[in-house]
Amino acid sequence: EIKVGIFDRVTHALIDSSIILLDTFVVVEPTGVDCVIPPDVCVEAGYYIEDINLANNPNGYYLVWERCCRNHSVSNILDPGAAGMTFYLEVPDPAIENSSPEFSAPPLPFLCENNPFTYNFTAFDPDGDSLVYTLVDPSSGNSGNGQGGALGPVLLTPLPAPYPPIVWTNGYSLANIAGGDPIIIDPVTGIISGAPDYLGLYAMAVKIDEYRNGIRIGQVRREIEFVVLLCDDNKAPQFSANVKDTTYTVYPGDSLCFNFTVTDQNQDSLFVSYSGNIFASGSISPPFAVTAPDSGSSQVNMGFCWYPECHQISNIPYEVEYRAVDDGCPLPKTSIAHLKILVAPPPPVNPVNLLCIQFISNDKIRVRFGDSNPMYRYFSSRQVYRSENGGPFIVIDTIHNPNLREFLDQNAFNNQTTDYCYFIININSCGFEGLPSDTICALSALNPLENYIATVSVVEENQIKIKWAYHPDYLFSTLYLLRSDNTPGSIPVTIKKFVNTVDFEFIDKNVKTSEQSYCYTLYSEDICGNLTPVSKEACTILLSGTAEPFTNYITWNEYINWLGGVDAYEIWRKRVGDTNFRLVNTATEAKDRFGDSQLDLDAGTFTYFIRAREASGLKEQSKSNEIILEQEPILYVPNAFTPNNDGYNDSWGIVSAFVKDIDIHVFNRFGNEVFTSNALSNKWDGTWKSSELPQGVYVYILDYKGFNSKLSIQKKGRVSIIR
């Protein structure tokens, strides 16, 4: 038997109490489980039935029965063996004539570890009242185990509300009832879902509030205990990867369509459902996404398709959930696939490049433009803006044909003196503007921008590199490169024509860089036939020189027409056998005769080039041709020496400059060779075969070469030994 207390819902006054006897006792079979129930699971239901008459009361009533205690093995309640249970029901004024909602399914019996589940806690209300479902803390109430001053397990007199909740074990709460993916409830449908991740026995409670005409009139609470088991015999269904935690990005006007599969390796039957606000049952306006629930054995093949439009652009992804449930044992298993769809604004259409203005007549202008990246997929239109003499820009035309590359302004009156300026803005398929194009103006078209040669420089023998500065119309123009000799009266001739070029340099190989300085100019012609002015000349530096005894003299011409002017001319030199050049001097202007006397006497062949540096602007450089200057070999031969060991003129040797090789031979008056050497550093001490030679006159013969000569020079003479 149980003793139920009946209280006024507002004053909490005890109105009555009733002892109700057990009427029926049954074993509850889990709904929908066509399997052998696990041996650890047993659910029994006892029904207590009694007729109780209550007077009309505007405050309404609540009915309560308390009993202690809970199973000692409950995992998520602190000291469950001392925690009571409170069974609670609210009813409105009997005059309202209301029936309380009834749960459609028995309590949740058991779950499988790490397996997503859904369970229907939906209740039926005979009166059609609105029901709102909420997970709440289980109630411990006032009963206890009778220890430490606590009330006993059975209350002799029912006690009024409030009824204290249970105390959760550390780590558990209403937001974390059983670990894993939290258990939640749909407030409208009463369906609970989650995925507990730890074995054990758990307690939870569900509250149903009953509303009529927006006013809460009643409440029913259900306390539940369920066990989480290890269910290894059934494997959860598997979704293909393209719908499992996947995010898609789609633009309006594009389609997002794909197929996917759900498989069950236990070959159970599968039931696949879906939810999301992009379907006809959701909250968006059409067009809706299309999919459908399906079922099958072992594998289900499904499809999804959506064609979003501009009004569905959102910076928050739309979410779709697919839920697959099998009918495996001991409990059906559920898998959930989430996908997100971001409907992003279509990319702005890249701006066009205004190329040129064509003057058709005094009142008509044609503007031509290029489109290197049209992105027609998202193109809607182009708007043409115009201003007059620096005034505000206004839209004068709209172009809908993406292939059109020109527009005609038929109201450009007095266009030879009125400065009409134009730019274009592209509009994409959702009406978003892109960046504006460049601006082109009539008067500047009459006086086009001049080309500029950044530098000309000798890069190798008989090769000249010409570099020119960027010009906005090169990509859609024809560029003409002209060359002339750097001599008075030379006529420039076209050596290269570039059509729609993206290049800004050219190597001219049809030249003789050590014989002639060359000058280059540029001009271009746009697709409207307008010619730019010819650029200023840029001429190579021609270096020449002569070698005089102990000094090399070099000459070079001025580099002209740099915007920044010439900062300095660098003189670079290397000796024969050297790998790298060395900067040896600088000059602030071109020289007709520059002498280099700081020469290495042990060398003889010297290579030079000039490098000009721009003072400002682009900071370019220009290199001249290279020249080689050869110093003639020079010898000084003493005619006597005194080998008496007094420290003065004790030996005889050669002093040289720019000599590469030498052979030295000395003979006595009988023709006998008394000294020989092929090194300038070797000295003769007046001995032969370690014996001192007598005082007298001896004959020498010298054969030597310079650094750039294959022929030997011979020199003969006499040297005297004085003792």
Side-chain angles (χ1 to χ4, degrees), residues 384-436:
V384 181
Y385 287 77
R386 187 188 75 179
S387 76
E388 297 181 27
N389 291 326
F393 281 90
I394 60 173
V395 177
I396 63 166
D397 198 1
T398 299
I399 301 172
H400 295 283
N401 182 356
N403 298 308
L404 195 62
R405 293 291 176 270
E406 62 181 38
F407 68 87
L408 180 64
D409 183 1
Q410 302 190 68
N411 298 299
F413 302 107
N414 301 316
N415 52 45
Q416 301 293 306
T417 57
T418 302
D419 197 16
Y420 293 99
C421 293
Y422 304 87
F423 70 81
I424 295 176
I425 291 181
N426 288 324
I427 312 297
N428 72 10
S429 54
C430 285
F432 300 133
E433 292 186 351
L435 295 174

Side-chain angles (χ1 to χ4, degrees), residues 101-307:
E102 300 178 9
F103 286 97
S104 303
L108 180 69
F110 70 95
L111 300 174
C112 292
E113 182 185 30
N114 290 317
N115 180 56
F117 77 93
T118 57
Y119 200 84
N120 193 346
F121 267 87
T122 303
F124 171 72
D125 188 273
D127 308 306
D129 295 324
S130 298
L131 304 179
V132 177
Y133 302 85
T134 311
L135 290 177
V136 294
D137 293 324
S139 179
S140 180
N142 301 292
S143 60
N145 59 6
Q147 300 177 7
L151 296 175
V154 179
L155 301 183
L156 298 179
T157 301
L159 296 176
Y163 301 104
I166 55 90
V167 178
W168 295 98
T169 300
N170 186 35
Y172 293 97
S173 65
L174 191 60
N176 182 28
I177 293 174
D181 291 343
I183 294 175
I184 59 175
I185 191 167
D186 188 308
V188 177
T189 65
I191 295 176
I192 67 171
S193 60
D197 66 351
Y198 201 74
L199 305 179
L201 182 65
Y202 299 90
M204 62 180 287
V206 175
K207 176 186 74 172
I208 302 178
D209 288 306
E210 181 183 8
Y211 289 84
R212 183 176 297 176
N213 299 323
I215 300 173
R216 191 173 73 85
I217 62 174
Q219 184 183 106
V220 176
R221 289 172 55 100
R222 171 179 268 184
E223 294 262 356
I224 309 154
E225 286 186 0
F226 61 92
V227 63
V228 176
L229 303 174
L230 184 63
C231 308
D232 290 336
D233 294 336
N234 186 25
K235 305 297 182 184
Q238 294 293 316
F239 284 90
S240 54
N242 58 335
V243 292
K244 195 169 183 180
D245 298 323
T246 303
T247 299
Y248 292 94
T249 298
V250 62
Y251 299 119
D254 291 345
S255 63
L256 177 63
C257 297
F258 56 83
N259 297 317
F260 64 95
T261 60
V262 187
T263 56
D264 189 281
Q265 57 182 302
N266 297 102
Q267 299 187 346
D268 296 322
S269 295
L270 290 169
F271 306 90
V272 183
S273 60
Y274 68 93
S275 61
N277 61 346
I278 62 174
F279 301 106
S281 59
S283 58
I284 68 168
S285 57
F288 302 115
V290 177
T291 191
D294 205 349
S295 60
S297 178
S298 302
Q299 179 171 303
V300 174
N301 299 310
M302 298 189 65
F304 172 92
C305 209
W306 190 26
Y307 298 84

Side-chain angles (χ1 to χ4, degrees), residues 678-691:
N678 59 6
L680 287 166
S681 58
N682 290 342
K683 307 296 183 181
W684 181 37
D685 61 1
T687 65
W688 180 43
K689 295 182 180 180
S690 301
S691 297

